[in-house]
Amino acid sequence: MNAGHSLPLLRLKETVCNQYDPYILIDQFTKIVHCDCDSFFASVEIRDNPALQGSPVAIGGSPNQRGVVATCNYEARKYGIHSAMPMHQAVKRCPNLHIIKPDIAKYRRVSRQINKIYQEYTKLIEPLSLDEAFLDVTLSQRCQGSATMIASEIRAEVSKNLGITISAGIAPNKFLAKIASDWNKPNGQFTITPGQVSQFIQKLPVHKIFGVGSVTAAKLHALGIKNCEDLQKWPLLELTNQFGRLGARLYELCRGIDNREVIPHRLRKSVSVETTYTNDLIQSRHCFIEVERLATQLFQRIEHAGVDQRVSQYWLKLRFSDFRTTTASEACSIINPAVFDKLLEKAMARSNQNIRLIGLGVKISDPLSTHQMPLFKD
Ligand code: TTP
Ligand code: MG
């Protein structure tokens, strides 16, 4: 089948001035669809064993071996079971829970099949994980160019051919499309048209904003900022004073502005930062402060690249005065700045020379070949 348009694409984007700030241009006509499969691993298993339909099902490790829940179907969620919960706790909540060991190779296969269906609508697909992807359908001619109808047709196709339900969000940008796909989950979709953005965004709680974790959310709450309407009252300068670079991002996002492009087949394998010092650093407490400073920069880059869910390894590089270079690394899939302290200690122990360069980085896993979260506790 035809993808609806051919590459290379000429992006015929039109922009209008934002009413709040004439320097911010809103991309009015981009059409993004965010697709997120419902209880993905569980849906695949139930599809392959329909006798499980209607029963509570969890995918994950054994309750006796410190297994955790990777995911569970919506029946199991009624018992309060959720991803990352220890399996023994899940069984306590729901003694007749069906537990199935994950079969990642199978989920990867299904993920590729889903991707093939997406490709019939657009080539601009950015997979985020095995069950999630952004599709830029701005120039797609399928469904008379209606992104809402494209989403609906994709969901119907995937359900008919692969037996998996998808929820979709349709919006003028990635940030809003991702929020919208959650709005009518499971097996639903929600559209935010450009004209609905400013009304939709007002009541959105700040913790729903991309990049706002629990620490930033707590800080915002302490400042009396609960939703985007509250946040919109803060001038750009004050937000950057309070939150640094994130402040500028908050200023845009709380107005529904997000100019990130859909990057097809993202090849980013790592994110890193490094500094070479004019005067070599003596091995001391000061090096830890430097590492902390670099880690802040690194995490901002990771966030900006939208790959925080796919970090798979941390590394720290030191170059000593004698130009010898050493690297220490550790597998880690969650954002945890403390890991760099440990790596610094390890790397410094390898030489007593002064330090001329510090580099920090993370490896990013391929969204279609590995999984985003650990399945088992240590
Ligand atoms: P999600 O899309 O977060 O969850 P889901 O698809 O199971 O449920 P829904 O989208 O309907 O809320 O994650 C996709 C898959 O990733 C999920 O099926 C299992 C896996 N996963 C883990 O292994 N561990 C985790 O902590 C999470 C959140 C997901
Ligand atoms: Mg999902």
Side-chain angles (χ1 to χ4, degrees), residues 36-40 131-132 185:
D36 182 349
C37 302
D38 302 316
S39 56
F40 184 49
D131 85 323
E132 238 184 285
K185 217 175 205 319

Side-chain angles (χ1 to χ4, degrees), residues 34-316:
H34 176 255
C35 292
D36 182 349
C37 302
D38 302 316
S39 56
F40 184 49
F41 294 3
S43 299
V44 174
E45 296 302 342
I46 295 167
R47 175 197 73 177
D48 294 348
N49 181 4
L52 293 171
Q53 198 84 46
S55 310
V57 175
I59 313 301
S62 154
N64 310 321
Q65 290 168 332
R66 303 214 281 173
V68 294
V69 176
T71 191
C72 59
N73 65 351
Y74 282 74
E75 274 77 12
R77 292 184 198 194
K78 290 181 195 153
Y79 295 83
I81 300 171
H82 55 78
S83 295
M85 176 182 267
M87 193 61 90
H88 67 83
Q89 207 173 313
V91 175
K92 241 189 233 160
R93 286 178 185 232
C94 174
N96 59 342
L97 183 69
H98 292 267
I99 300 171
I100 300 173
K101 269 203 187 145
D103 179 349
I104 305 288
K106 177 157 79 172
Y107 311 142
R108 205 174 291 151
R109 274 199 305 277
V110 178
S111 181
R112 289 204 188 101
Q113 290 168 325
I114 295 174
N115 211 271
K116 273 215 174 99
I117 293 180
Y118 294 160
Q119 286 188 28
E120 295 184 358
Y121 294 83
T122 178
K123 296 292 179 215
L124 289 176
I125 303 164
E126 180 178 327
L128 299 176
S129 66
L130 288 182
D131 85 323
E132 238 184 285
F134 284 117
L135 281 63
D136 184 333
V137 298
T138 312
L139 298 180
S140 175
Q141 282 155 20
R142 300 291 303 267
C143 306
Q144 291 90 49
S146 158
T148 298
M149 279 163 64
I150 288 175
S152 166
E153 211 177 283
I154 286 176
R155 292 178 45 243
E157 283 289 301
V158 171
S159 166
K160 185 176 90 191
N161 295 310
L162 303 170
I164 299 295
T165 63
I166 291 185
S167 295
I170 304 98
N173 61 47
K174 283 177 160 184
F175 162 55
L176 293 169
K178 188 157 162 83
I179 290 174
S181 67
D182 226 23
W183 223 247
N184 281 327
K185 217 175 205 319
N187 198 14
Q189 67 179 63
F190 185 67
T191 302
I192 307 169
T193 63
Q196 293 164 342
V197 171
S198 56
Q199 210 198 344
F200 174 86
I201 202 83
Q202 303 240 327
K203 297 287 162 245
L204 193 76
V206 284
H207 72 262
K208 292 269 188 191
I209 298 179
F210 172 78
V212 173
S214 52
V215 175
T216 311
K219 192 170 167 188
L220 286 163
H221 289 165
L223 292 167
I225 304 170
K226 295 265 184 295
N227 56 32
C228 289
E229 192 178 10
D230 302 333
L231 199 48
Q232 284 177 10
K233 294 180 185 133
W234 283 63
L236 177 60
L237 190 66
E238 282 197 45
L239 283 178
T240 39
N241 284 345
Q242 287 282 347
F243 298 95
R245 243 195 266 169
L246 177 64
R249 197 91 182 96
L250 291 175
Y251 184 84
E252 292 187 356
L253 292 177
C254 75
R255 290 170 170 79
I257 298 164
D258 175 20
N259 293 319
R260 288 174 304 154
E261 303 260 330
V262 167
I263 304 168
H265 312 295
R266 190 195 285 274
L267 287 174
R268 193 184 264 284
K269 296 248 164 55
S270 67
V271 182
S272 62
V273 291
E274 66 175 41
T275 300
T276 304
Y277 298 95
T278 327
N279 300 310
D280 294 358
L281 305 179
I282 300 166
Q283 294 201 16
S284 67
R285 176 81 211 123
H286 183 60
C287 298
F288 287 88
I289 296 169
E290 265 306 296
V291 163
E292 201 179 307
R293 185 184 67 79
L294 286 168
T296 308
Q297 272 181 23
L298 178 72
F299 291 125
Q300 276 168 355
R301 282 194 193 177
I302 292 171
E303 192 186 296
H304 189 72
V307 292
D308 39 346
Q309 299 285 308
R310 296 199 271 127
V311 169
S312 62
Q313 191 193 52
Y314 283 48
W315 53 261
L316 176 142

Side-chain angles (χ1 to χ4, degrees), residues 24-38:
I24 294 177
L25 297 173
I26 303 181
D27 193 338
Q28 265 219 320
F29 301 107
T30 299
K31 297 173 189 173
I32 308 293
V33 179
H34 176 255
C35 292
D36 182 349
C37 302
D38 302 316

